[in-house]
Amino acid sequence: MLSYPFMQNAFVVGTLIAIVSGFIGVFVVARHMSFLAHTLSEIGFAGASFGLFMGWSPLIGMLIFTILASTTIGELGMQEKRSESLISAVSAVAIGLGIAFLALSQKNASAATSILFGSIFSISHANVVQVVVLALIVLVVGLLCYRPLRHFAFDYNTAIFSLKHVVLIEVLFLVLMAMTVAISSQVVGSLLIFILITLPASAAMRWGRTVWQMVGLSVLFGVVGVWAALVLSYWTNVPVSFYIAIIEAGIYFISLIKRDA
């Protein structure tokens, strides 16, 4: 299996994305912003479609749309009580724009399927380089800003008073979240991005006692899920995203049983 270059690329990209999603996901879940991850998946669809329309890589379009949307929606959602209505409206517009850009770009159905559900087995060497660079940026920045991010995510009410640059930390967090959403789409597609970001982290937070334990478990659950999904997909010719969804959901349900036991 690993003798094929496309499988080698898939394992490299899948592992990196699982690590990044597991790391950032803990802060996303702790900050109760899973809803924004789901919304960004729909905005990412519009961004990827825009990238195809412009003749760019879908990843570039997704990065532009998700970063702009995360900072804008995140700030408005924090400040307004009607954040749910705001997010619903933005999601509706994003889906409409995605459909329009796909139609205007005159791409076939396979292009839309790749955006929505991922196409990890068709990732090129250039795509691998893009994902590696972006993943390293997210991890390095996240680790350098670990302490303020932890304070911001796990104790927001005191962070807004004790952190000197809380607005900057908030924007940084939203940008890192947007970048994670964009690169994660290479594995599970824009429709299922929130799976890798929220489910491993949610399960890990029921097992870990410290933040580092939560991060480690979240990364472990993500990597195990992606690796198992790649192997099963290779054997059965069923999409990787299906297996990732089933495996990560299974891990989460097991964590619920463990917590209630």
Side-chain angles (χ1 to χ4, degrees), residues 136-156:
L136 289 176
I137 290 173
V138 173
L139 287 174
V140 170
V141 174
L143 290 171
L144 289 175
C145 302
Y146 171 76
R147 286 182 176 273
L149 282 175
R150 180 185 63 183
H151 193 180
F152 168 80
F154 284 85
D155 194 6
Y156 180 75

Side-chain angles (χ1 to χ4, degrees), residues 14-30:
T15 302
L16 278 173
I17 288 174
I19 293 172
V20 172
S21 300
F23 178 74
I24 295 297
V26 170
F27 302 104
V28 172
V29 174

